[in-house]
Amino acid sequence: DTGVSQDPRHKITKRGQNVTFRCDPISEHNRLYWYRQTLGQGPEFLTYFQNEAQLEKSRLLSDRFSAERPKGSFSTLEIQRTEQGDSAMYLCASSSRTSGRVPPGELFFGEGSRLTVL
Amino acid sequence: RKEVEQDPGPFNVPEGATVAFNCTYSNSASQSFFWYRQDCRKEPKLLMSVYSSGNEDGRFTAQLNRASQYISLLIRDSKLSDSATYLCAVNPWADSWGKLQFGAGTQVVVTP
């Protein structure tokens, strides 16, 4: 499968614990994005990387959140001291300016990591 | 006020009928526009990009109205498999392609 893959798909944790999600983008894509989606809402942008550089972080990304893409390939999103409000689907997406016939901006999403904080 | 707004629906559509719905955006400088389809508890998947002149892909037609700041999606000859949530997405930043603002989605339910 050459799509975006995320791990784990589901995570249940207790409030106060740390969790880490991993995303493996499509191999030739240089941009990687993290979005968060809660029930009944559309995805909300969190942060993105171009290669290994983190170019932008949303104000939604509090200091408990940290994302890395150390070698410009896979990325991790860590949430420290989880809160119940962190319960959501965390979506990773990748894109490339040379995605072919579609204009830049087409995102290829992974299946998401669903977080439940008890 | 949300930056991208959609009628949440649900739009209940008989099989074979036509359904259309809009999405409004607040940033007049928005550059790119997209419709994504999302099935229940699945990831969004790009349905189509929306071009200034409007575009069609099979039974799906997308339109952009910059003056009134909305995009629309029309589905003809609806199939049961068209049942999903349709998310519109807008890129208001010229060089931050991929950083999209999504609406909350419009739910479409196609009934036999």
Side-chain angles (χ1 to χ4, degrees), chain B residues 73-111:
Chain B
L73 182 66
L74 182 145
I75 307 173
R76 282 185 301 277
D77 187 23
S78 298
K79 310 292 185 190
L80 295 176
S81 58
D82 294 333
S83 296
T85 295
Y86 292 84
L87 300 166
C88 72
V90 175
N91 180 359
W93 303 279
D95 197 34
S96 296
W97 38 274
K99 180 186 170 187
L100 301 178
Q101 292 177 328
F102 284 86
T106 294
Q107 186 183 9
V108 172
V109 179
V110 182
T111 55

Side-chain angles (χ1 to χ4, degrees), chain B residues 27-44:
Chain B
N27 188 334
S28 59
S30 295
Q31 301 288 317
S32 309
F33 308 87
F34 307 89
W35 283 104
Y36 280 79
R37 170 196 169 122
Q38 186 170 32
D39 294 302
C40 187
R41 301 182 75 84
K42 297 287 191 179
E43 76 276 19

Side-chain angles (χ1 to χ4, degrees), chain B residues 16-33:
Chain B
T18 296
V19 61
F21 41 89
N22 296 336
C23 163
T24 59
Y25 60 94
S26 61
N27 188 334
S28 59
S30 295
Q31 301 288 317
S32 309
F33 308 87

Side-chain angles (χ1 to χ4, degrees), chain A residues 31 33 35 37 40-43 45 56 95-97 103 105-107 109-111 114, chain B residues 2 32 34 36 38 41 43-44 46 49 51 87 95-100 102-104:
Chain A
R31 288 206 175 186
Y33 306 80
Y35 282 77
Q37 186 175 23
Q41 300 299 316
F45 169 80
E56 190 169 345
S95 73
S96 168
R97 185 170 279 277
E106 177 186 4
L107 297 181
F109 283 92
E111 293 181 301
R114 185 172 297 279
Chain B
K2 291 186 178 180
S32 309
F34 307 89
Y36 280 79
Q38 186 170 32
R41 301 182 75 84
E43 76 276 19
L46 181 70
S49 304
Y51 301 112
L87 300 166
D95 197 34
S96 296
W97 38 274
K99 180 186 170 187
L100 301 178
F102 284 86

